[in-house]
């Protein structure tokens, strides 16, 4: 297939007539609970562009929610997955294993933080990885309680809905949820009442106090945290907060789990976001960016913790599917060869520079934040810190109309988040930022 031209092109309104016709079919055939952000139906995608069925080409600042970091049709991913597809699609690793699974585990054990002996187990989705991390931590510690944080997002299964902070749309009407889950404060600098400068110290003290008083540290199997809160609004905890929580976990025999499903695999300018403050988690969960768009997830961690579950206690029919493993090896090869951590840092420089200039001009911008190619703008009612979800929705719609895919997030629905593919050309990145600035000027 001819390579997709890396340029924005609008030939119809967004969505176009063919997409609109498909939306009618979707409404008739697909459960109403499966919503879509932007109803353009995609025919091809690659690099920093998605092309819809009407022939429109849109700049992609979403990467399928941080999945297609290497692009949606990366050569090494397609080649390796295609070759594996021709050999065999499935045997179930728990029945008759294959080398690809082992090789992915070896790569994860090497790439994740820490030089201790590690093991990995592969699954299908981020939620599955988090759920299995909890299972492993409980098996190892013989404890039951799990501590999570305000603004956290960990999935949509029953257990991970309990771990997730935000009610709508993730939890509403779906309870009762799994027990023995305890939520504590997150160091959210922009919204910390006594000021960002006090945030790390006070939030850590509050979190540790709540765990100690309300749960009992000796009852806690795992502390699960995203090094940068994703769905919660790309909240980067105040510096010093994560090390304090990790140290508390270490002192009390609690398994510290870094949920790097959205932040992992070069997204923040490092292979893993917890490296920024030198955090070495006991367990790390990954998915999204791991396999270039194919469904794959993992738990990687200290050998003695990972090996605590009895034989047969971990797994699943499709976990570590051979085609997904081949894709992951292609994605990791691409990340290494093209220095995608470096590319992510460069994207961050460009985006933060432009977005902070926009912040100077428009008082609807409360904060610009993020690392690498994981950048967000929090929108407020001018002159206050009151969340402004209406402006957020209007800006997203304006960007979509002009052929730029952007996503929203945040506990209050007031955050524009940007997750461009790490392989995106700087010309497309700049054009996307021009569209964003234009949308602000028309707000």
């Amino acid at each position: 297939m001819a390579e997709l031209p890396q340029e924005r092109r609008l030939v119809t309104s967004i969505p176009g007539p063919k997409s609109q016709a498909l939306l009618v079919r979707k409404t008739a055939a697909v459960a109403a609970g499966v919503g879509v952000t932007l109803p353009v139906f995609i025919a091809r995608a690659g690099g920093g562009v998605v092309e819809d069925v009407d022939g429109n080409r849109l700049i992609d600042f979403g990467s399928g929610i941080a999945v297609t970091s290497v692009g949606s049709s990366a050569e090494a991913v397609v080649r390796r997955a295609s070759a594996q597809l021709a050999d065999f699609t499935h045997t179930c690793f728990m029945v008759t294993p294959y080398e690809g699974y082992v090789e992915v585990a070896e790569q994860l054990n090497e790439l994740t933080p820490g030089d201790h002996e590690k093991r990995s187990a592969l699954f299908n989705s981020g939620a599955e990885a988090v759920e299995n991390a909890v299972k492993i931590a409980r098996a190892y510690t013989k404890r039951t309680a799990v501590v999570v944080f305000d603004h956290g997002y960990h999935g949509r299964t029953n257990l991970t809905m309990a771990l997730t902070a935000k009610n709508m749309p993730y939890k509403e009407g779906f309870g009762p949820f799994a027990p023995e889950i305890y939520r504590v404060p997150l160091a959210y600098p922009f919204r910390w009442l006594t000021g960002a400068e006090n945030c790390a110290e006070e939030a850590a003290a509050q979190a540790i106090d709540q765990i100690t008083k309300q749960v009992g540290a000796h009852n806690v199997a795992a502390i699960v945290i995203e090094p940068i809160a994703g769905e919660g609004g790309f909240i980067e905890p105040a510096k010093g907060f994560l090390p304090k929580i990790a140290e508390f976990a270490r002192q009390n025999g609690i398994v510290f789990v870094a949920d790097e499903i959205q932040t992992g695999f070069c997204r923040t300018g490092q292979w893993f976001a917890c490296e920024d403050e030198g955090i070495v988690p006991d367990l790390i969960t990954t998915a999204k960016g791991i396999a270039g768009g194919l469904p794959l997830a993992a738990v990687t961690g200290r050998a003695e913790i990972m090996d605590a579950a009895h034989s047969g206690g971990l797994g699943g029919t499709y976990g570590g599917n051979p085609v997904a493993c081949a894709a992951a090896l292609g994605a990791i090869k691409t990340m290494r060869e093209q220095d995608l951590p470096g590319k992510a840092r460069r994207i961050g420089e460009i985006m933060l520079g432009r977005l902070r200039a926009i912040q100077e001009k428009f008082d609807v911008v409360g904060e610009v934040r993020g690392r690498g190619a994981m950048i967000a703008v929090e929108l407020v009612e001018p002159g206050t810190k009151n969340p402004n979800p209406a402006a957020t929705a209007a800006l997203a719609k304006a960007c979509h109309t002009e052929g730029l895919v952007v996503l929203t997030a945040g506990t209050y629905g007031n955050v524009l988040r940007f997750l461009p593919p790490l392989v995106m050309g700087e010309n497309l990145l700049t054009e996307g930022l021009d569209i964003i600035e234009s949308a602000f000027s028309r707000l």
Side-chain angles (χ1 to χ4, degrees):
M1 185 185 285
E3 197 167 311
L4 188 61
Q6 294 296 295
E7 57 190 30
R8 182 175 66 112
R9 179 181 73 173
L10 298 185
V11 294
T12 72
S13 59
I14 303 291
K18 290 181 182 176
S19 280
Q20 290 180 39
L22 279 165
L23 183 61
V24 172
R25 287 171 55 192
K26 181 260 182 197
T27 304
V30 179
V34 183
V36 295
T37 297
L38 173 55
V40 296
F41 284 75
I42 301 306
R44 295 197 298 159
V49 168
V50 295
E51 183 175 282
D52 71 12
V53 289
D54 290 286
N56 298 299
R57 289 195 205 110
L58 291 79
I59 299 172
D60 181 13
F61 273 18
S63 299
I65 317 183
V67 169
T68 55
S69 299
V70 295
S72 300
S73 50
E75 185 275 332
V77 172
V78 172
R79 174 169 44 81
R80 290 183 178 224
S82 299
Q84 179 58 53
L85 203 54
D87 288 342
F88 62 94
T89 60
H90 174 78
T91 66
C92 185
F93 187 78
M94 299 180 302
V95 178
T96 50
Y98 37 87
E99 185 180 4
Y101 187 118
V102 177
E103 198 175 345
V104 170
E106 289 169 342
Q107 295 270 349
L108 285 163
N109 296 346
E110 179 192 335
L111 285 166
T112 50
D115 54 10
H116 50 276
E117 188 180 355
K118 298 176 199 161
R119 302 280 188 272
S120 289
L122 305 185
F123 305 99
N124 300 295
S125 69
E128 260 188 86
V130 172
E131 191 137 337
N132 277 278
V134 170
K135 284 167 59 174
I136 292 162
R138 284 173 168 165
Y140 176 71
T141 61
K142 306 293 189 284
R143 304 171 181 179
T144 56
V146 179
V147 170
V148 288
F149 292 80
D150 287 340
H151 310 288
Y153 177 88
H154 301 287
R156 295 173 181 262
T157 58
N158 186 265
L159 174 61
T160 57
M161 279 192 292
L163 301 177
T164 290
K166 190 176 178 181
N167 180 48
M168 275 296 286
Y170 308 116
K171 300 165 75 162
E172 176 69 23
F174 298 140
F177 303 114
E180 284 301 289
I181 309 298
Y182 300 90
R183 193 172 317 285
V184 296
L186 178 74
Y188 187 166
F190 180 67
R191 296 199 169 274
W192 200 253
L193 287 176
T194 61
E197 66 280 3
N198 303 312
C199 185
E201 197 75 40
E202 291 179 4
Q206 284 183 28
I208 289 166
D209 184 62
Q210 281 182 224
I211 296 166
T212 306
K213 302 290 193 302
Q214 298 179 23
V215 190
H218 62 283
N219 292 317
V220 179
I223 291 174
V224 184
I225 189 166
E226 301 163 279
I228 298 174
E231 299 292 313
F234 285 20
I235 303 160
E236 188 175 359
K239 292 280 186 261
F241 176 78
L242 285 171
K244 284 182 170 63
I245 299 297
E247 177 60 17
F248 172 77
R250 192 189 64 75
Q251 288 173 349
N252 289 279
I254 300 166
V255 176
F256 184 86
V257 183
D259 179 343
E260 292 248 18
I261 286 157
Q262 192 160 171
T263 54
F265 288 96
C266 314
R267 174 55 56 184
T268 63
Q270 291 160 297
W271 276 90
F272 298 96
C274 55
E275 295 175 60
D276 187 66
E277 290 188 89
I279 304 286
V280 178
D282 296 313
L283 302 179
I284 185 166
T285 60
T286 51
K288 288 191 184 291
I290 194 173
L294 275 76
L296 188 68
V299 183
T300 301
R302 296 184 185 279
E304 66 275 16
I305 300 175
M306 290 295 296
D307 285 344
H310 53 272
S311 180
L314 304 178
T317 303
Y318 294 110
N321 169 271
V323 182
C325 285
L329 294 170
I332 291 168
K333 180 175 187 286
T334 304
M335 291 170 193
R336 289 182 189 272
E337 288 180 354
Q338 297 188 22
D339 182 23
L340 292 195
K343 291 261 176 70
R345 291 193 295 273
R346 175 64 181 150
I347 287 169
E349 285 171 18
I350 295 168
M351 294 199 85
L352 288 171
R354 281 292 300 277
L355 293 169
R356 285 182 175 142
I358 289 170
Q359 182 178 14
E360 294 291 313
K361 290 166 63 176
F362 301 100
D363 54 6
V364 72
V365 178
E367 185 175 49
V368 173
R369 58 177 177 253
R371 291 208 308 267
M374 187 172 180
I375 303 294
V377 176
E378 178 159 359
L379 298 161
V380 294
E381 294 171 1
T384 74
K385 287 194 177 180
N386 297 337
N388 196 337
T392 311
L395 285 161
K397 189 169 190 293
C399 290
H400 295 162
T401 301
E402 292 299 317
L404 175 66
V405 178
V406 298
L407 306 172
T408 59
T411 299
Y412 312 104
N414 68 322
V415 176
L416 279 174
R417 58 171 163 169
F418 308 118
L419 293 159
L422 306 183
V423 295
M424 175 178 280
E426 290 186 13
N427 59 325
L428 282 178
L429 190 63
T430 300
E431 188 177 354
L433 289 161
D434 291 342
I435 291 167
I436 291 165
E437 183 159 8
S438 172
F440 270 98
S441 68
R442 298 196 308 276
L443 192 62

